[in-house]
Amino acid sequence: MKSGWMVVAAILFALMGVLVKQASGDFSSAELVFYRSAFGLVAIWGVIAWRSGRLLSPLATRHAPTHFWRGLSGFGALVLFFYAIGRLPLATAVTLNYTAPLFLAVLSVWWLRERHGRGLIAAVILGFFGIVLLLRPQLQQQAWVPALAGLVSGMLAAVAYVNVKQLGRLGEPEWRVVFYFTLLATLGGGAWMLVAGFHRPAAGDWPVLVGIGVTATLAQLALTRAYHRGRTLTVGALAYTTVGFSAIYGVVLFGERLPWMAWLGMALVVAAGVLAVRVSNPPRADSL
């Protein structure tokens, strides 16, 4: 069950996607990011204060610029991911976001000067073909803008992973990294709402909005437990069950039907992602 906590996290992350898709008709992506992050911020800050007995001093850091760029890339990834969820089949949006390990493989060579073997090169090539197959039905349906948003969300998530890796090398604890990301995402979503306008939630909207924050927070807790107690490679591979659960939710709850080419593309992206995880062991997905 130790690694199995990742399956629990996958179910919850996919359920968060369902709630985001349900709410996207009434709320913008930035609004949904704000509600998703605000609940998480309160929970994380509460845990930190309870464990340390202090409100602010544990949050002091000497690496604010790196936290800022990590938070900015993560915030952008979330906004684009939520935008894609609202306009694409749920499984398609999730799969495009889960291209992050493939982009990470490229960025780690260029940015971190890391060397990788043929296995990772094969994963990137396989993932590229999967992306082409997955995007083709969307382009034929003139849904290229949300498809591109989903793909860029995966790229920005990879940028966030690189920043997380740099913060780890600087000695920053994981909980502080997650706190500052959640803080920036909350502030970014709130500022966006003030500039672009926001919708006042009706009484019936609150269960969905609260549900987005709760499922995201519980999923991160389950994921963290999985990585702390389970085998890293097994957990990294199980993370891709989120795609499977998203496909099931999409078919059952939204009646989504995908062409065989899209299913094949999803399978190739998942296979490439699992291979990339096994040969490179990228940073944990809870950094988002």
Side-chain angles (χ1 to χ4, degrees):
M1 179 60 187
K2 294 179 180 179
S3 298
W5 279 105
M6 187 62 243
V7 178
V8 176
I11 294 173
L12 290 168
F13 276 130
L15 183 57
M16 180 200 72
V18 170
L19 296 174
V20 168
K21 192 172 186 66
Q22 183 176 346
S24 62
D26 299 316
F27 298 91
S28 69
S29 301
E31 288 177 287
L32 295 177
V33 169
F34 170 79
Y35 290 114
R36 182 257 190 216
S37 303
F39 292 113
L41 178 64
V42 172
I44 294 169
W45 200 349
V47 171
I48 293 173
W50 175 67
R51 287 188 174 182
S52 65
R54 294 169 293 176
L55 286 177
L56 296 177
S57 54
L59 304 175
T61 179
R62 293 178 294 177
H63 309 292
T66 308
H67 279 288
F68 173 78
W69 290 114
R70 178 266 174 276
L72 185 62
S73 57
F75 171 67
L78 268 183
V79 170
L80 292 175
F81 180 39
F82 284 8
Y83 175 82
I85 286 177
R87 290 157 180 81
L88 294 175
L90 183 59
T92 300
V94 171
T95 304
L96 289 172
N97 181 258
Y98 270 66
T99 58
L102 306 179
F103 286 110
L104 179 61
V106 178
L107 288 175
S108 62
V109 174
W110 170 69
W111 195 337
L112 300 178
R113 299 293 188 268
E114 294 180 350
R115 295 183 177 181
H116 300 299
R118 295 179 179 178
L120 197 56
I121 296 175
V124 172
I125 295 174
L126 182 65
F128 172 77
F129 282 111
I131 292 170
V132 171
L133 292 175
L134 183 60
L135 290 183
R136 185 172 179 181
Q138 310 306 323
L139 298 180
Q140 291 174 339
Q141 299 169 13
Q142 303 300 313
W144 64 271
V145 173
L148 181 62
L151 192 60
V152 175
S153 77
M155 183 182 69
L156 288 177
V159 174
Y161 294 158
V162 173
N163 286 317
V164 168
K165 197 166 187 176
Q166 290 178 324
L167 286 166
R169 291 176 177 176
L170 293 172
E172 288 289 84
E174 294 172 358
W175 55 264
R176 190 181 293 158
V177 175
V178 174
F179 171 82
Y180 279 110
F181 158 64
T182 310
L183 175 63
L184 194 145
T186 302
L187 294 176
W192 193 319
M193 289 165 58
L194 290 176
V195 173
F198 62 94
H199 303 83
R200 179 172 296 179
D205 295 327
W206 284 111
V208 176
L209 297 176
V210 173
I212 291 172
V214 170
T215 51
T217 301
L218 292 178
Q220 286 190 335
L221 291 174
L223 186 148
T224 302
R225 173 166 290 192
Y227 273 103
H228 282 178
R229 300 188 180 185
R231 297 180 57 188
T232 300
L233 294 180
T234 301
V235 172
L238 287 175
Y240 279 87
T241 59
T242 304
V243 175
F245 288 119
S246 298
I248 294 173
Y249 288 154
V251 170
V252 174
L253 299 178
F254 301 109
E256 296 174 345
R257 297 293 185 269
L258 297 175
W260 68 268
M261 188 178 296
W263 287 108
L264 178 59
M266 287 169 52
L268 290 179
V269 171
V270 169
V274 172
L275 179 59
V277 167
R278 289 191 172 276
V279 298
S280 64
N281 191 20
R284 301 207 322 246
D286 65 335
S287 57
L288 275 181

